[in-house]
Amino acid sequence: MAHIDTILVQASNGSDDAKTGAVSTPLYFSTAFRHPGLGESTGFDYARLQTPTRAILEKQLAVLEHGSDGFAVSSGMAAIDLLFSSLMHSGENFVSSDDLYGGSFRYFDDIAKKDNVSYTLWDGQDEQALADKINDKTQLLWLETPSNPTMKIIDIKKCAEVAHKKNPNIIVAVDNTFLSPIFQNPIDDGADVVVHSATKYLGGHNDILAGAVITKSHDLGEIIDYNLVTRGQVLDPFSCWLLLRSLKTLHLRMARHDSNGRFLAKHLPKFAGVDKVLYPGLGGMLSFYLADGYDTDKFLKGLKVFSFAESLGGAESLITIPSIQTHHDMSQERRDQLGITDNLVRVSAGLEDQDDLLADLKQAIKGAKV
Ligand SMILES: *Cc1c(COP(=O)(O)O)cnc(C)c1O
């Protein structure tokens, strides 16, 4: 099998050989497809079921995550909803790591209230404690690693072993948004399904809203497929095309995000005004605490290269304040427990020059002294 760099670049080249020989992915907007005759199909019938451009993208997503089936949907939250609504029923339970995307928490609270699906939180670190959280109602284990926004690594392999030992039918699901398949392949570590907000690194340019679900087995893929056709949160053809185009450079982008992330994590602790840096050891995401005596709003207003905006994983470097942006729906108590305080700054290192990024943080922190 070719290396991932080759797989990424060559996606869909040759898919239109018979017609045009186009090297770039064909983009079909058609929602209806003519049938050759009664009971006959070209493989495409109606756009909610499948489109040619999405089919190419979904195949590529499955290859990248070492899975059997891939699904491209309208957002990361749509991907999470597709998974949970496919697998969870009233009265059932799932276990989740406790430091994760704020929108996932909002979703969990929503299905707990409306669908009678309960969840149990676990710290993501103590695998023995995980075994104790799993009971006979537990259908699914949800992991997001590195954790968000405090950047702790969760051992997917150990967690999958513990969960599957308790019950081989438990679905181990991993949100792989932060590391992408370049740095982490959860299915190889024992996960049953991988979810992405493709709005982030997979899209990579702060211009596509998309999500992905990839299953290890085709059996699980069939359940998801039925639910997707029924609910209809599919990704539109143009976004599919943009995402395929983005994926061609994923390996190059991730290498730069990673080197910029490492560089900032190494040098930030030396600055007056920085209390503590949280970095998982790889990738482009890090967080830090602004020290006492430094004003967060002043810091944000002083930034010149970084944008104060709530997203991550794009070419342009972004800074987020989790307590008021991504995690504002979480209770104060839960935020305090996790260390999501108002002086916690989350950094998405983009693709700019590392020295320019560091210099920007340095001057903005310096200017934030009160
Ligand atoms: C952004 C994000 C989501 C939600 O994705 P959307 O594309 O915004 O719907 C889920 N998980 C993680 C880790 C995210 O960063």
Side-chain angles (χ1 to χ4, degrees):
M1 191 175 196
H3 294 90
I4 191 158
D5 304 21
T6 310
I7 293 171
L8 283 163
V9 172
Q10 288 291 336
S12 87
N13 187 4
S15 63
D16 211 33
D17 269 355
K19 288 172 224 147
T20 65
V23 169
S24 170
T25 317
L27 171 52
Y28 294 98
F29 281 115
S30 192
T31 51
F33 299 86
R34 285 189 299 171
H35 301 296
L38 208 56
E40 293 174 43
S41 168
T42 60
F44 298 98
D45 305 303
Y46 180 66
R48 176 160 31 76
L49 279 60
Q50 189 53 288
T51 63
T53 312
R54 178 155 62 89
I56 293 167
L57 170 62
E58 292 184 336
K59 203 168 138 202
Q60 180 74 342
L61 290 169
V63 169
L64 293 180
E65 283 291 8
H66 303 176
S68 114
D69 297 25
F71 302 92
V73 296
S74 55
S75 71
M77 288 318 301
I80 291 171
D81 181 52
L82 176 63
L83 180 72
F84 278 78
S85 62
S86 298
L87 300 177
M88 300 299 303
H89 308 94
S90 174
E92 293 176 348
N93 167 264
F94 67 94
V95 175
S96 171
S97 54
D98 67 357
D99 182 36
L100 36 94
Y101 180 64
S104 302
F105 270 120
R106 184 171 53 218
Y107 180 79
F108 296 167
D109 286 335
D110 195 58
I111 59 173
K113 217 168 25 195
K114 293 180 186 152
D115 304 332
N116 188 33
V117 167
S118 67
Y119 70 94
T120 311
L121 293 177
W122 158 72
D123 72 0
Q125 303 299 308
D126 179 349
E127 287 91 20
Q128 189 46 48
L130 170 61
D132 297 338
K133 301 271 185 193
I134 295 171
N135 61 38
D136 53 5
K137 296 261 194 310
T138 307
Q139 301 295 315
L140 187 141
L141 171 63
W142 177 259
L143 306 172
E144 184 179 330
T145 178
S147 75
N148 175 7
T150 67
M151 309 292 162
K152 296 186 289 279
I153 292 279
I154 299 172
D155 190 330
I156 298 171
K157 208 175 209 161
K158 274 198 195 139
C159 293
E161 267 170 30
V162 166
H164 286 144
K165 198 172 156 207
K166 268 268 183 104
N167 175 359
N169 295 323
I170 285 180
I171 301 292
V172 176
V174 177
D175 184 333
N176 201 23
T177 299
F178 269 33
L179 287 183
S180 90
I182 299 297
F183 293 131
Q184 180 163 270
N185 287 113
I187 287 175
D188 292 349
D189 292 332
D192 301 289
V193 57
V194 177
V195 168
H196 279 276
S197 167
T199 312
K200 316 297 169 51
Y201 286 109
L202 298 187
H205 295 71
N206 291 319
D207 60 8
I208 315 167
L209 186 73
V213 177
I214 299 102
T215 62
K216 177 181 180 178
S217 76
H218 183 56
D219 285 353
L220 189 52
E222 282 191 325
I223 296 171
I224 304 266
D225 188 46
Y226 175 81
N227 195 19
L228 180 57
V229 166
T230 304
R231 292 183 175 239
Q233 63 271 58
V234 294
L235 191 62
D236 69 280
F238 188 52
S239 298
C240 289
W241 186 88
L242 276 175
L243 190 48
L244 269 163
R245 181 186 175 135
S246 293
L247 287 176
K248 286 176 186 280
T249 54
L250 181 66
H251 54 309
L252 299 173
R253 290 186 284 108
M254 289 314 291
R256 177 54 92 81
H257 288 300
D258 178 64
S259 66
N260 279 352
R262 284 171 200 260
F263 183 78
L264 296 180
K266 183 173 161 199
H267 293 286
L268 266 177
K270 298 174 195 158
F271 294 174
V274 172
D275 240 1
K276 189 177 172 191
V277 176
L278 309 172
Y279 184 60
L282 79 171
M285 295 300 298
L286 57 142
S287 297
F288 68 89
Y289 291 96
L290 265 182
D292 275 354
Y294 288 80
D295 183 75
T296 307
D297 193 41
K298 252 179 143 178
F299 162 71
L300 295 170
K301 286 185 173 130
L303 293 166
K304 295 192 171 80
V305 181
F306 280 87
S307 299
F308 170 43
E310 54 188 283
S311 193
L312 63 105
E316 301 85 359
S317 290
L318 302 184
I319 281 200
T320 303
I321 306 297
S323 69
I324 59 154
Q325 292 178 300
T326 52
H327 288 65
H328 66 97
D329 276 344
M330 195 185 261
S331 71
Q332 181 74 46
E333 188 192 353
R334 218 187 250 169
R335 285 206 299 263
D336 289 346
Q337 265 170 15
L338 293 168
I340 306 174
T341 49
D342 290 348
N343 61 335
L344 179 66
V345 178
R346 194 184 74 181
V347 177
S348 171
L351 302 178
E352 303 91 341
D353 179 86
Q354 60 181 21
D355 293 322
D356 293 340
L357 293 180
L358 191 69
D360 190 37
L361 292 177
K362 189 173 185 176
Q363 64 80 23
I365 292 167
K366 204 170 159 205
K369 197 162 189 328
V370 285

